[in-house]
């Protein structure tokens, strides 16, 4: 697949994720092995202290890692997250939350990807979370193709 | 704190989590060291293949583990997730998704909790995810008190 | 495979692990989906404060989880750990350290297993670590068959 | 503490780890926020297929991450690993195994560190494992001071 087709595949799949729309997340960048997803803090995605909920931070981080993996997979292959770990370093507060996923090692069956999550305030970026995920390439299973 | 006060603290904190309302999650059970959160699948929380998004599954699992930890913490203490790991075992499909958090070991500073997530279809429960989390008790920091 | 053949396969594989002999670890129990490995604390496996090194605790916990997974895999299949997470709850001190691995969910390609590690002192067991691992079944790859 | 004193503290602590001597591991580099530990493959640290056992790989990766964290901690503070996750990417085979630990974020109580593990064969380095660890600074607890 060309980078353009890969990008199109990620964009089309992302648009089908109801949760991303619900959270207000947007796909801000797609390139081979790297995907960025952004989120604007608002009350509908908050936790009890007013920060962005770890669940929302995790959702964009996991998606960024998963789509980064998908950009390096063959056509007609879907991607599933088998597991991930996230370390939360600071409250998710700021004007914009940005998850940057990148592939660490792409394998035939399993891919290791990481996502760093940054909080942006007044042009300053602060690392607020680090996710490590194992992604599995699946072929023609349950109609999964992205 | 009495179990009733602990329960009240968890319910009051949960009600302030904007994300839980947005996802349609409900607190179905609170007892010392154990908390259950339920979710009904709907398109607004889906991923690209129509299943419940791993981000939504993770959000309720993390909250169930965190609140289970909170039930064993002293008054005037808040709880923060420092990290968690989740293994996704099967697609989150069914009539109802239920996350059951329980404390494995409560410590002065750090607590280890797990959450099992089940998908319920026609009265049958299937384990679809397992989360392990480290929770930190925080006192009087940034106004955190639940 | 019969439980007896499964047991024999695990015992034979364990005996080939140079590290287990070096650590002084022994295979104390093997049954379908469950394996126990024991270790006696001694200076050669210590860390700087005199406790058993987390690396030794982890080695027996990972092996216990991996062999628990192997007991449920078909003949001519080998097992590889793809990733694991371990939470260390207390210093590994006592007369005997015991890792109990058990399968949480066995899949065709991937298996999820956990291992609890206990320190035994004067007949009292204390949970000191919890490991969660993803194991992969491999067939005829690189001569891997156990 | 000066970098020299930090280095001395790490070297002295490492020398007390019986397991590192038993594995044949050596401390190859110590600088602020970064520590390297090397290992030469030999049968006494092998697993059943002849590769270096994941337990030995993990032991040096965990120690490299932990000591990297220690280099940024105040005097009279000890370091404990509270949890870590490791992804194993390829068999640990080669002439030399090298774990490079570095601090991602140093906090007052908790530090996040990562360790990459490389296998070196004929001058070629290959990434074989990635570890993410949470380290806790402890003061005057149980005589822990390194």
């Amino acid at each position: 697949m060309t980078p353009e087709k890969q990008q199109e595949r990620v964009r089309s799949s992302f648009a089908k994720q109801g949760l991303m729309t619900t959270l207000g997340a947007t796909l801000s960048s797609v390139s081979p092995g790297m995907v960025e997803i952004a989120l604007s803090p608002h009350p509908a995605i908050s936790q009890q202290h007013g920060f962005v909920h770890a669940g929302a931070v995790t959702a964009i981080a996991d998606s960024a890692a998963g789509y980064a993996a998908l950009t390096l997979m063959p056509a007609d292959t879907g991607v599933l997250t088998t597991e991930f770990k996230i370390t939360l370093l600071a409250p998710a507060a700021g004007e914009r939350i940005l998850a940057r996923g990148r592939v660490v090692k792409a394998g035939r069956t399993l891919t290791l990807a990481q996502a760093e999550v940054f909080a942006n305030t007044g042009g300053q970026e602060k690392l607020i979370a680090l996710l490590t995920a194992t992604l599995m390439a699946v072929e023609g299973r349950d109609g999964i193709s992205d």
Side-chain angles (χ1 to χ4, degrees), chain A:
Chain A
M1 287 177 92
T2 61
E4 288 71 29
K5 289 215 162 155
Q6 285 286 16
Q7 221 181 85
E8 179 44 35
R9 171 162 72 155
V10 170
R11 294 201 176 279
S12 148
S13 174
F14 185 85
K16 283 182 253 165
Q17 294 203 330
L19 182 66
M20 291 297 124
T21 307
T22 300
L23 298 177
T26 54
L27 194 57
S28 50
S29 167
V30 179
S31 56
M34 206 163 297
V35 164
E36 289 185 8
I37 298 177
L39 197 59
S40 295
H42 55 106
I45 58 171
S46 66
Q47 38 87 288
Q48 70 271 34
H49 313 119
F51 304 125
V52 175
H53 198 287
V57 170
T58 299
I60 63 166
D62 170 34
S63 286
Y67 282 130
L70 185 62
T71 63
L72 303 183
M73 289 178 181
D76 302 323
T77 305
V79 62
L80 286 181
T81 302
T82 57
E83 61 78 35
F84 65 80
K85 188 209 163 170
I86 188 163
T87 305
L88 302 159
L89 298 163
E95 292 147 21
R96 194 165 170 257
I97 308 296
L98 185 73
R100 271 189 203 135
R102 71 179 173 82
V103 170
V104 175
K105 196 196 167 198
R108 200 163 39 101
T109 310
L110 299 178
T111 288
L112 172 64
Q114 282 206 319
E116 291 177 305
V117 186
F118 299 91
N120 211 303
T121 313
Q124 293 275 353
E125 264 197 346
K126 183 183 177 178
L127 181 69
I128 60 162
L130 178 67
L131 174 142
T132 310
T134 305
L135 294 314
M136 183 155 59
V138 288
E139 256 178 281
R141 188 198 291 185
D142 302 329
I144 290 169
S145 62
D146 51 20

